[in-house]
Amino acid sequence: MEEIDTVNLQANHVKRWRFRDHSGTLPAGRIVLRVTEDENQWWRFECCRIEGGMHCISGNAWSDFVGPRVHARLTLYAKQDGENFNRVWVRAG
């Protein structure tokens, strides 16, 4: 799995997470990012490309996801061949 980016989630990330796509796999514009950690639970995050090649994830689903995970370390991975979703790995902080 190719890593897009990693963050130590903080209270300010509940509103949004701005990051650089180190994999170069996220498209420009607004997209819905379908994400899973274990293929049992799924999330749909609002994602858009902003100035300077940065991306931003925000919205209610993101806020609901981050709230109980503040202080955890999150890694977002690119889609693998044949998949229509991204993966996350969350480690307790």
Side-chain angles (χ1 to χ4, degrees):
M1 288 184 284
E2 191 171 2
E3 183 178 315
I4 291 177
D5 204 6
T6 297
V7 65
N8 291 321
L9 294 171
Q10 303 298 319
N12 63 315
H13 291 121
V14 170
K15 188 170 185 177
R16 73 176 167 262
W17 174 33
R18 297 174 79 151
F19 62 96
R20 187 166 306 281
D21 176 9
H22 297 288
S23 71
T25 60
L26 292 176
R30 292 186 142 320
I31 61 168
V32 173
L33 200 59
R34 188 168 178 241
V35 177
T36 187
E37 185 173 14
D38 57 12
E39 297 186 41
N40 289 319
Q41 188 170 9
W42 298 87
W43 299 277
R44 297 173 64 86
F45 301 141
E46 298 170 28
C47 181
C48 65
R49 189 171 190 173
I50 54 179
E51 73 280 339
M54 299 290 288
H55 285 77
C56 180
I57 296 177
S58 61
N60 292 337
W62 174 250
S63 296
D64 293 345
F65 175 83
V66 172
R69 292 170 178 86
V70 169
H71 304 298
R73 184 167 177 86
L74 177 136
T75 303
L76 176 64
Y77 293 97
K79 294 178 185 178
Q80 294 187 48
D81 289 340
E83 294 181 335
N84 65 347
F85 57 90
N86 295 72
R87 294 183 187 273
V88 292
W89 186 29
V90 181
R91 295 172 298 282

